[in-house]
Amino acid sequence: MSEQLEQKQMETDQQPDEELKQRQLAVLEGLLFVTGDEGLTAAQAADTLGISAKQAEELFVQLQKIWQSDARGLEVVRYGDIYRFLTKAFVHTYAARLFSKDAKTQLSQAALETLAIIAYKQPVTRVEIEEIRGVSADAMLRKLMARGLVKEDGRSEAPGRPILYSVTNEFMDAFQLLSLDELPDLPEFNQDDKKNDDLFTQ
């Protein structure tokens, strides 16, 4: 009887630890989604969750196992020290089918504005795009990359080494451009001018 009581006590003691671990996994999953293409390092995760770097690494490994199932369309990958979500290879064919029609005519105003910023200022980071548009650009960048209009173009030397983005040859074809030199010159505005360039407004 005493052995059964001890076993139950051990299981009860383990429940809070397991619940905490599941919550940490859920938070880590959310952080990966929020950081998007920039990803997350074990050191950043450890500092945010208040755990050791080793514990953070163990959580990442477990999260990778959770998302490796073919029943899921995303996976957790590691490049260097950075973990991030990526679409699995088998999804790419369907993404191409989804965006196979005329890329230019189906683009929203927000997509056109984001493309314009990238085309004029490339290579450019997500943060720089967001500073110009004033809204989050992570989801839009994913869509434009899925359409093949935008690509990753190395990393900036800025702190955190954020990903740089540029337009692709598909972008040039969609807008019938031989080179970016054919883009129209941007109008100049005084700082006091209340009429902002529609190209970069929300």
Side-chain angles (χ1 to χ4, degrees):
M1 179 68 69
S2 62
E3 291 182 0
Q4 292 179 342
L5 290 174
E6 289 179 2
Q7 181 65 28
K8 286 185 177 180
Q9 184 62 44
M10 289 177 61
E11 292 176 354
T12 301
D13 293 341
Q14 290 173 355
Q15 284 179 357
D17 289 339
E18 184 60 29
E19 290 176 1
L20 176 60
K21 187 174 183 179
Q22 291 302 316
R23 174 55 62 89
Q24 289 173 335
L25 281 169
V27 171
L28 187 59
E29 188 175 64
L31 291 175
L32 281 178
F33 178 80
V34 170
T35 54
D37 290 335
E38 299 301 323
L40 193 67
T41 66
Q44 289 173 317
D47 184 58
T48 303
L49 292 171
I51 58 178
S52 69
K54 181 179 179 181
Q55 289 175 310
E57 291 280 6
E58 292 173 351
L59 287 175
F60 273 122
V61 170
Q62 186 167 348
L63 202 58
Q64 284 179 311
K65 291 179 179 179
I66 292 173
W67 284 88
Q68 71 182 5
S69 168
D70 285 342
R72 296 178 179 268
L74 299 176
E75 61 183 335
V76 178
V77 299
R78 177 179 180 177
Y79 292 120
D81 295 330
I82 298 176
Y83 292 87
R84 59 175 169 150
F85 273 128
L86 279 186
T87 307
K88 288 185 177 176
F90 67 80
V91 179
H92 296 173
T93 300
Y94 297 92
R97 185 184 303 172
L98 176 64
F99 300 125
S100 61
K101 296 183 180 180
D102 183 16
K104 183 177 178 180
T105 57
Q106 290 193 349
L107 290 175
S108 66
Q109 183 64 27
L112 289 171
E113 291 168 1
T114 304
L115 273 174
I117 294 170
I118 297 172
Y120 278 99
K121 297 181 69 68
Q122 70 173 31
V124 61
T125 66
R126 174 176 59 84
V127 172
E128 290 173 323
I129 297 171
E130 292 172 346
E131 287 177 348
I132 295 173
R133 293 204 64 238
V135 295
S136 174
D138 185 60
M140 183 57 65
L141 282 170
R142 289 176 182 274
K143 291 179 181 179
L144 293 174
M145 290 178 68
R147 289 175 183 257
L149 298 173
V150 171
K151 64 181 179 180
E152 294 183 3
D153 195 11
R155 287 185 174 271
S156 169
E157 295 299 325
R161 304 219 36 186
I163 296 173
L164 293 167
Y165 297 93
S166 296
V167 294
T168 64
N169 290 333
E170 285 78 3
F171 166 86
M172 305 295 287
D173 291 340
F175 289 86
Q176 299 179 353
L177 298 172
L178 294 178
S179 76
L180 292 179
D181 292 335
E182 296 182 17
L183 290 171
D185 293 333
L186 290 176
E188 294 183 2
F189 292 94
N190 296 324
Q191 291 183 350
D192 296 333
D193 195 339
K194 295 183 180 180
K195 294 182 180 180
N196 293 322
D197 182 5
D198 289 339
L199 197 60
F200 292 154
T201 56
Q202 298 184 36

